[in-house]
Amino acid sequence: THHQKGKPKKRRKRRRGRKVFARDETQGNRSPAPAQPAVPALEAMQPTASAVSSAAPAPRPEQSTRRSPVHELPVFAALDLGTNNCRLLVAVPTRHGQFRVIDAFSRIVRLGEGLTANGRLGQPAMDRAVEALKICGDKLRSRKIRKARLIATEACRSAENGVEFLDRVEREAGLKLEIIDRQTEARLAVSGCGSLVERDTQGVVLFDIGGGSSEIALIDLTGRRSPRLANHIVSWTSLPVGVVSLAERFGGRTVTREIFDAMVDDVARRLASFDGRDRLSHLKASPNFHLLGTSGTVTTLAGVHLDLERYDRRRVDGLWMDRDSVDRMVERLVGWDFQQRCANPCIGADRADLVLAGCAILEAIRAVWPSERLRVADRGLREGILSELMADDGVWRNDGRGR
């Protein structure tokens, strides 16, 4: 974090930051947890907020009053259970609009496996997800969390037994997840990418290619700019198609050029019925218009494009790719067989059967909104949740000192 020179507050601020960092990283589980369930301020939140029930033994209440809260940065958490991934971020606020991650977890659980065919979540898929969520529950209960929001997306939204499954999660992992609707999902994806949209930008098509659905938001920034990017969404859609569902319908291992084109056509037909797709046509020709992609598909493409020996988020998040580079990468991947995709360190066995479905969705999007530039975001719903929770809590007011 850059501190402004010559400000008297400098030393106090740095000391406070270091103290929190040391406590969180080194003492970890020893920091006193509150006596009530691990998310104390939850009742005060929107009714959509979710809770962490304290399956962990409650410490003696006097412990938590011992340390003065003045020097502690509040801790926020966001969990996203998607069709493919289970991801958790725990963070503390830093400079205005930013935060520092102090704990994270991510695991491919493929919760949506077989969902397209059966309309239900399968037993092995649910078991994998519950195991991952138990780890997340332990992480959350080991800290004093100011506010958390735990969400589930398309797989739980569309499965007949989605709600039943979340009851099991609450029983076994001690976590209460909320199924968010598609509009909320689109808004959170936008909120998570605010800092990647530069000041002179006039229009952005932001897309999030998920496992079971793909969200697209059209953002018009020609008017007065508000600090919240989501306030500038002029139209949005959620396609009920993602990398898992598309790969299951068309096959993900062996993908010929014909199969790939058929996947692109399938998504293009769905996009054709999106009424608001022309809301940025007045900006399409502007050099200040671009695409912004957040998801495993675009981050994987970026990793392949950079020829990384192993995936590196720091090099990928915020990367600009021009139209020709994206064309080349897609062509390259379509030309690889399953083994070649597995062998690439940025794809690997976990994504080898899904990456071409993702490329097909990307190609359909690029055909509707052609742009010279695509910006890659390795961030998404969790970052959006954290940004919204912190802004609503007022932690960034008064130069980040909280209320």
Side-chain angles (χ1 to χ4, degrees), residues 85-106:
N85 273 304
C86 172
R87 296 190 178 104
L88 170 74
L89 273 188
V90 182
V92 292
T94 55
R95 284 184 303 176
H96 189 88
Q98 297 185 9
F99 48 80
R100 186 180 71 238
V101 173
I102 56 173
D103 201 357
F105 173 81
S106 179

Side-chain angles (χ1 to χ4, degrees), residues 98-119:
Q98 297 185 9
F99 48 80
R100 186 180 71 238
V101 173
I102 56 173
D103 201 357
F105 173 81
S106 179
R107 182 181 287 177
I108 290 182
V109 293
R110 297 213 174 191
L111 177 61
E113 194 171 63
L115 176 60
T116 316
N118 314 316

